[in-house]
Amino acid sequence: MEQYQKDFVDFTLETGVLKFGEFTLKSGRISPYFFNAGLFNKGSHLSELGKFYAQAIEASALKFDVLFGPAYKGIPLAAAASIALNDSFNHNVPYSFNRKEAKDHGEGGSIVGHPLEGDILIIDDVITAQDIIQNCGANAKGVIVALDRQEKGKSELSAIQEVEQIFGITVLSIINLSHIIDYLRTSDDSKILAKIES
């Protein structure tokens, strides 16, 4: 685990985004942990989150032309990551986002910011973004998420592997479930660790 990944786990615990216990997920499955990204809700959180996304993007060495944040959750993430890529890595990456409703006055259309052209890195939500990107004639190159839960999909593949196969894109994450497990191994919390590994 890289230092920025360990720091990200610390950050999610400090902010209450990552919690351990017993949680019923939307699928009805019981989980020993819960990751609530909606609790990244302060300017300081967004500033730090942008830096973690930027570090993961840099570590991946994925080449892309535009960072795209699907409305609504992806909008502040794209802006924060773009700022952090510039400030921390001197990469002046263009970004854009979409409106839920197309605008028929002013510049019009549904895309705000840089035009969607070339290879696109999506932040957070590939399902929403795929059609938007194709309709602009661009190519979805990858998607980056905060946490890869490494959950099984509908087949033998993980949900992330299914996304990679279906959409033909690279899926990046700041951390995955294995990083959380590694973190717990060093924290001597054997009860939580046993629940997650079962």
Side-chain angles (χ1 to χ4, degrees):
M1 178 165 36
E2 299 295 327
Q3 185 61 46
Y4 78 87
Q5 293 168 319
K6 181 186 178 306
D7 293 344
F8 184 66
V9 177
D10 284 332
F11 176 58
T12 61
L13 291 168
E14 287 163 15
T15 54
V17 167
L18 177 61
K19 291 185 178 172
F20 298 109
E22 191 168 293
F23 304 94
T24 303
L25 304 180
K26 193 163 42 172
S27 64
R29 197 171 60 81
I30 304 296
S31 173
Y33 74 96
F34 188 65
F35 189 88
N36 181 1
L39 294 178
F40 291 133
N41 56 19
K42 295 180 181 173
S44 60
H45 297 169
L46 192 56
S47 175
E48 287 301 306
L49 188 56
K51 291 173 190 171
F52 287 118
Y53 272 112
Q55 287 174 301
I57 290 167
E58 283 297 304
S60 77
L62 184 76
K63 302 290 181 215
F64 63 97
D65 300 305
V66 179
L67 185 60
F68 179 67
Y72 291 103
K73 192 165 59 169
I75 295 171
L77 298 178
S82 181
I83 291 166
L85 283 164
N86 182 71
D87 291 353
S88 299
F89 298 100
N90 202 30
H91 289 166
N92 191 13
V93 174
Y95 79 98
S96 62
F97 58 90
N98 66 302
R99 294 185 179 96
K100 289 281 191 179
E101 302 81 23
K103 190 175 170 187
D104 58 7
H105 59 281
E107 75 278 5
S110 62
I111 302 299
V112 180
H114 197 278
L116 284 177
E117 53 194 19
D119 291 329
I120 311 300
L121 176 60
I122 304 159
I123 196 159
D124 191 64
D125 184 357
V126 69
I127 311 300
T128 302
Q130 187 73 9
D131 288 343
I132 296 166
I133 290 166
Q134 285 179 342
N135 290 341
C136 290
N139 174 51
K141 181 83 176 267
V143 62
I144 183 164
V145 296
L147 171 65
D148 172 1
R149 292 176 169 84
Q150 296 179 304
E151 293 174 337
K152 282 282 183 205
K154 294 177 182 170
S155 66
E156 286 303 305
L157 301 174
S158 73
I160 292 285
Q161 289 170 325
E162 285 182 355
V163 167
E164 288 179 322
Q165 191 174 68
I166 291 166
F167 294 108
I169 63 172
T170 300
V171 181
L172 311 172
S173 62
I174 301 172
I175 59 168
N176 59 39
L177 182 58
S178 297
H179 295 123
I180 294 173
I181 290 169
D182 289 347
Y183 181 94
L184 289 171
R185 282 197 179 110
T186 62
S187 69
D188 292 331
D189 203 327
S190 55
K191 286 183 185 174
I192 294 170
L193 184 59
K195 285 182 182 178
I196 290 177
E197 290 185 314
S198 64

